[in-house]
Amino acid sequence: MPSIDHARRRLRLSDSHISVLGMIVEEEELAAELAEARGALEQAGLILEDGTLHAELYPLVSTLMDPHLIARIEVTGPQGVLSSGAVVGDEFAFSHEGWPGETESVYAPLEVRNLVWELARMVDLHTEPLDRGDATEQIDSTVGTVDRLLEAVGDGEDAFEQAGAEVGAPARLAEILAQLNCMWRITLAWRGKEAEEGGMSVAALAVWDCGLEGYWIRELPAEPIREGEVGEDSALRVRQTTAKEVWEKITDLLPEAEQFATGA
């Protein structure tokens, strides 16, 4: 069910709820498959009796309908793919976080100056248990090889070693994947002066969190990846890194003010 936390200005909404809110603001005819979502919003008091939105929804809805910067986070782990992120508009900014197995996300106000902190928190960037100094180790393989190795997830370290030998994977690749906590990717899109396809400029970062084996940046295939660009035979390269470098790379994803088409 959708809900609102008045004290902290937080909202719990699904994608279908967001679609309903947008259609109401745009005065569009509601699609039949969204009738249940609208009913839930009415029951929660987020759509009023006269058909208008609760006043506390307007900052979020206006930001979602005209964003200057969109941050999307995809975390792939044992419970599947979890989506979170942030959106920045003219006057307001919001973060949104999903929960495994739930269709709704929690939307909360965000101070733009804290955006990097929020992105790092949502991917659980943390100090590593081991001091790796200047981590420089690199592993080269193929996308298909990693996919086949990941089929052994949950079967223990020995399963990875055996699977690695069967598919001809580098032994070191099997070792680090046996410790895998999750893979995550942060993608930022904004309306830039030198916009790419679709009128948006895009930057992205892909990282493997391998627990005791530390953090690994996926350098190949290079981000951002577009649909159809990567196949099983595509080269894959991961490089060991440190939490400090990951933080710096997240910071580098953000565009400078002069890169925005609006100057915002």
Side-chain angles (χ1 to χ4, degrees), residues 136 162 204 226:
T136 58
Q162 180 178 348
R226 291 173 175 78

Side-chain angles (χ1 to χ4, degrees), residues 9-43:
R9 298 177 294 151
R10 299 188 304 170
L11 292 151
R12 184 179 172 91
L13 301 165
S14 68
D15 289 346
S16 59
H17 298 143
I18 295 294
S19 296
V20 170
L21 299 175
M23 288 181 174
I24 290 175
V25 171
E26 292 291 328
E27 299 182 348
E28 297 179 1
E29 184 177 352
L30 190 69
E33 61 268 21
L34 294 175
E36 184 178 346
R38 178 178 178 127
L41 289 165
E42 291 174 343
Q43 185 177 347

